[in-house]
């Protein structure tokens, strides 16, 4: 309460910055499919019919279904649908190139002729796969599904193709194609492991998988200038007892002049989740949000912060983890924003090799004497990034090329290959042992007939040690490992690659001979034991 009063007083003393910046999209195509009349949404947007939008649709069939109004539909857009029993294409001419939203609305309404829950189909543009063999999941809590994409369109026309799988059909309730601000996806962010700059974000296409207003109520398109929907985060927190919601009036939030105000509404930054037990001395206190995710794709996690809990500058330091790895160490918002209640966001790319079937975001205190022992988060967005073949669903591109995905099967195959190679090498040594010269014990070295010339090279073992060291440093950075450490360390730099150097052959043989002669006695004993075991 005291912090809220302080921030309210601060807002009265500072000039107000508007968070409701107007945005007029160059392209604003809104279609309600299969309807006979316009549909007006509560947010003021008007959806036109596809039949009344000449030139948009190219389809061989004209099948549409509708349900009775007032039947508890989740949206006015769910009253009608267009059905395609063969391939169909919507073609849209654009006013300008750049980032565009594509939102696809699906609701399997009851129909006497078609069971929309059995439909299976794919959706793509000319160069991006949006959905591959998509169908409504009967196990999910809501049958109303909105798939939201952000595509960097460079052509004057975009084609949206619906392709049913064999013996099935496709359907769509509504389509949105709307220009987005160019700054919505900046070019630079950071990678998760190792933590370093990541450039080229605007080379990808994106699917928004999750968008949460952390610590606050849901935000509808009526309260978001860009027509976005923000969920409450409550169902994603693993242990709600560890988290407490906090909020201040929206006008307390101060958007700097150079801050892209449409990144998120003020209502996202005016609410947050903080530690329920502030000043706790528990060694591993972390608030965790968990999301289902596709491990075959890279993801970008956008984290929104706004310090609405501190009473003074430089008093709040905390850590942020993603998938158990340190993403931000010792985050001090006031030093980045030069004030309190000032928005800040961070884009972090999570490589698919660091993914599993779930993605976690955690915040926790630094466990050092740096001020208040607390941690906050205001908003989270999880975006799937397009693959190497420009797909956002499935492993194939529009042209049929397959993405080079790294999955658990690949890793297992590599491990099996390495193990098999080790057995082959051991077998080769056994064969050489059988073919050993009769006077091998009288020779100065056995390397010439048993071991390769460069068997003395330590690059493989060095590489193994480097790998083990890398795994150790990863575990030391994880929130779980923090429980055993009173301090939090920044991520260790990646180990330098092992460079194998080869000397001239004569020198190498001489060095090998000298090295092996020093251990000749132990080597002789080892092979004597080997011969003894073989005789048994």
């Amino acid at each position: 309460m005291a912090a809220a009063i302080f921030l309210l007083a601060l807002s009265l003393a500072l000039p107000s910055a508007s968070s409701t910046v107007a945005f007029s999209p160059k392209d604003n195509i809104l279609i309600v499919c299969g309807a006979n009349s316009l549909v007006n949404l509560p947010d003021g947007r008007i959806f036109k019919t596809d039949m009344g939008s000449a030139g948009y649709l190219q389809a061989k069939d004209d099948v549409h279904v509708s349900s009775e109004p007032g039947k508890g539909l989740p949206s006015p857009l769910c009253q009608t649908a267009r059905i395609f029993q063969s391939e169909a294409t919507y073609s849209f001419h654009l006013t300008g190139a750049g980032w565009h939203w594509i939102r696809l609305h699906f609701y399997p309404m009851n129909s006497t002729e078609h069971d929309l829950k059995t439909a299976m189909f794919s959706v793509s543009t000319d160069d991006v796969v949006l959905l591959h063999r998509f169908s409504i999941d009967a196990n999910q809590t809501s049958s109303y599904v909105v798939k939201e994409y952000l595509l960097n369109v460079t052509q004057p026309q975009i084609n949206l193709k619906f392709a049913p799988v064999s013996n099935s059909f496709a359907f769509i309730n509504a389509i949105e194609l709307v220009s987005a601000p160019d700054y919505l996806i900046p070019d630079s962010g950071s990678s998760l492991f190792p933590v370093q700059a990541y450039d080229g974000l605007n080379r990808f296409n994106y699917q928004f998988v999750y968008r949460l207003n952390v610590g606050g109520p849901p935000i509808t398109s009526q309260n978001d200038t860009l027509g976005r929907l923000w969920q409450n985060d409550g169902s994603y927190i693993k242990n709600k007892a560890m988290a407490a919601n906090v909020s201040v009036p929206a006008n307390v939030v101060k958007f700097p002049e150079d801050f892209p105000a449409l990144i998120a509404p003020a209502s996202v930054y005016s609410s947050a989740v903080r530690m329920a037990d502030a000043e706790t001395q528990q060694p591993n206190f972390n608030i965790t949000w968990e999301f289902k995710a596709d491990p075959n794709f890279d993801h970008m996690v956008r984290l929104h912060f706004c310090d609405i809990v501190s009473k003074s500058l430089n008093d709040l330091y905390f850590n942020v983890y993603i998938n158990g790895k340190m993403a931000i160490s010792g985050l001090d918002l006031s030093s980045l924003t030069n004030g309190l209640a000032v928005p800040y966001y961070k884009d972090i790319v999570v490589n698919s090799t660091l993914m599993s079937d779930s993605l976690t975001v955690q915040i926790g205190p630094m466990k050092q004497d740096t001020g208040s022992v607390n941690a906050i988060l205001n908003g989270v967005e999880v975006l799937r990034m397009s693959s190497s073949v420009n797909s956002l669903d499935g492993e194939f591109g529009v042209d049929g090329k397959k993405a080079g995905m790294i999955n658990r099967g690949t890793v297992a195959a590599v491990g099996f290959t390495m193990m098999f190679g080790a057995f082959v090498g051991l077998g080769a040594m056994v064969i050489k042992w059988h073919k050993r010269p009769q006077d091998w014990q009288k020779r100065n070295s056995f390397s010439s007939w048993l071991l390769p010339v460069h068997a003395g090279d330590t690059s493989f073992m060095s590489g193994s040690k480097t790998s083990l060291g890398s795994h150790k440093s990863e575990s030391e950075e994880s929130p779980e490992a923090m429980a055993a450490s009173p301090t939090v360390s920044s991520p260790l730099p990646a180990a330098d690659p092992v460079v194998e150097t080869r000397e001239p052959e004569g020198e190498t043989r001489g060095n090998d001979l000298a090295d092996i002669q020093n251990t000749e006695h132990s080597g002789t004993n080892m092979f004597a034991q080997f011969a003894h075991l073989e005789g048994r």
Side-chain angles (χ1 to χ4, degrees):
M1 179 62 72
I5 295 174
F6 173 80
L7 290 171
L8 181 59
L10 183 66
S11 69
L12 298 176
L14 295 174
S16 176
S18 174
S19 62
T20 56
V21 178
F23 177 72
S24 299
K26 295 180 180 179
D27 296 300
N28 190 24
I29 301 171
L30 308 174
I31 298 177
V32 55
C33 304
N36 296 318
S37 59
L38 305 177
V39 172
N40 293 273
L41 294 188
D43 59 17
R45 292 183 297 166
I46 300 175
F47 281 69
K48 299 180 180 179
T49 66
D50 53 2
M51 292 182 291
S53 304
Y56 280 158
L57 179 60
Q58 303 171 24
K60 296 179 180 179
D61 43 32
D62 182 18
V63 181
H64 48 90
V65 295
S66 61
S67 61
E68 298 181 11
K71 292 294 184 179
L73 298 176
S75 167
L77 300 175
C78 298
Q79 188 173 333
T80 62
R82 192 71 182 252
I83 292 177
F84 306 115
Q85 297 173 326
S86 58
E87 187 175 294
T89 302
Y90 285 90
S91 298
F92 305 106
H93 293 278
L94 305 179
T95 303
W99 291 107
H100 283 70
W101 300 108
I102 291 182
R103 297 187 182 102
L104 306 176
H105 298 251
F106 302 101
Y107 181 71
M109 67 187 67
N110 294 326
S111 171
T112 56
E113 298 181 0
H114 298 86
D115 184 1
L116 302 190
K117 292 183 179 180
T118 65
M120 180 176 289
F121 53 96
S122 299
V123 183
S124 63
T125 68
D126 289 335
D127 53 3
V128 185
V129 175
L130 304 181
L131 293 170
H132 177 68
R133 298 180 66 87
F134 168 75
S135 62
I136 297 294
D137 186 357
N139 297 322
Q140 62 189 20
T141 55
S142 174
S143 298
Y144 180 37
V145 176
V146 179
K147 297 290 186 178
E148 182 179 41
Y149 308 91
L150 191 60
L151 307 186
N152 197 353
V153 183
T154 58
Q155 302 298 321
Q157 177 174 305
I158 184 170
N159 298 312
L160 200 59
K161 181 173 67 175
F162 291 77
V165 302
S166 179
N167 299 321
S168 189
F169 59 93
F171 78 95
I172 181 70
N173 298 81
I175 299 173
E176 300 179 46
L177 177 60
V178 185
S179 301
D182 290 336
Y183 57 73
L184 206 59
I185 300 292
D187 187 52
S188 298
S190 68
S191 59
L192 176 60
F193 187 78
V195 176
Q196 61 185 18
Y198 188 104
D199 297 326
L201 289 176
N202 52 22
R203 294 185 291 106
F204 296 88
N205 294 299
Y206 296 89
Q207 178 184 351
F208 282 80
V209 187
Y210 299 96
R211 184 184 290 118
L212 305 184
N213 180 26
V214 177
I219 301 173
T220 67
S221 57
Q222 293 177 262
N223 300 311
D224 186 303
T225 305
L226 299 181
R228 295 169 295 192
L229 302 175
W230 299 73
Q231 293 178 271
N232 173 262
D233 66 305
S235 59
Y236 299 95
I237 296 183
K238 291 188 66 174
N239 189 344
K240 295 183 180 180
M242 302 180 73
N245 295 344
V246 60
S247 63
V248 297
N251 61 2
V252 170
V253 178
K254 297 301 165 187
F255 287 82
E257 292 183 0
D258 59 346
F259 186 86
L262 293 179
I263 286 291
S267 50
V268 170
Y269 294 112
S270 64
S271 63
V273 158
R274 63 168 177 82
M275 291 168 47
D277 186 12
E279 303 298 334
T280 182
Q281 297 303 315
Q282 294 183 33
N284 191 22
F285 189 108
N286 292 295
I287 306 172
T288 303
W289 290 263
E290 185 173 19
F291 310 92
K292 293 182 180 178
D294 189 331
N296 292 313
F297 290 87
D298 296 347
H299 286 71
M300 186 177 84
V301 179
R302 175 167 289 179
L303 303 173
H304 299 271
F305 301 98
C306 189
D307 189 352
I308 58 174
V309 300
S310 295
K311 299 179 182 179
S312 61
L313 302 177
N314 308 116
D315 186 56
L316 177 63
Y317 297 81
F318 60 96
N319 297 326
V320 181
Y321 311 91
I322 297 178
N323 281 1
K325 296 187 178 296
M326 182 76 75
I328 310 175
S329 176
L331 179 58
D332 174 17
L333 294 171
S334 61
S335 67
L336 297 171
T337 61
N338 298 316
L340 299 178
V342 180
Y344 173 79
Y345 75 96
K346 182 80 171 179
D347 291 335
I348 301 172
V349 175
V350 184
N351 189 273
S352 61
T353 58
L354 303 174
M355 294 288 298
S356 64
D357 292 336
S358 63
L359 186 149
T360 60
V361 174
Q362 294 176 294
I363 58 173
M366 280 196 66
K367 309 176 186 71
Q368 296 180 1
D369 187 13
T370 53
S372 299
V373 181
N374 207 343
I376 64 169
L377 182 64
N378 300 72
V380 179
E381 295 178 84
V382 179
L383 294 74
R384 183 184 300 174
M385 304 170 68
S386 54
S387 68
S388 58
V389 294
N390 218 3
S391 172
L392 286 163
D393 189 23
E395 53 185 327
F396 295 96
V398 172
D399 56 2
K401 292 182 179 179
K402 186 175 181 179
M405 299 186 190
I406 298 178
N407 54 38
R408 280 84 199 139
T410 304
V411 174
V414 171
F416 177 79
T417 301
M418 293 178 65
M419 182 177 67
F420 180 75
F423 278 111
V424 171
L426 182 60
M429 292 181 66
V430 172
I431 293 174
K432 283 209 170 189
W433 173 256
H434 280 289
K435 295 181 179 181
R436 66 191 182 278
Q438 296 297 324
D439 59 344
W440 68 273
Q441 290 180 315
K442 298 180 181 179
R443 297 194 179 191
N444 291 329
S445 171
F446 53 78
S447 64
S448 60
W449 61 268
L450 180 63
L451 301 177
V453 173
H454 295 288
D457 290 347
T458 58
S459 59
F460 176 78
M461 290 303 295
S462 299
S464 299
K465 292 177 181 178
T466 301
S467 177
L468 289 172
S470 175
H471 285 297
K472 180 181 179 183
S473 55
E474 286 182 25
S475 65
E476 287 174 349
E477 293 156 12
S478 68
E480 292 77 10
M482 292 301 173
S485 174
T487 60
V488 176
S489 302
S490 299
L492 297 176
D496 293 332
V498 177
V499 179
E500 181 177 349
T501 58
R502 295 182 180 269
E503 302 176 8
E505 185 174 349
E507 297 180 14
T508 304
R509 289 181 180 270
N511 292 338
D512 284 347
L513 178 60
D515 292 340
I516 296 174
Q517 282 177 334
N518 291 333
T519 58
E520 182 178 355
H521 180 68
S522 60
T524 302
N525 289 340
M526 177 184 71
F527 280 93
Q529 293 174 6
F530 183 71
H532 174 68
L533 290 174
E534 182 189 21
R536 294 175 61 187

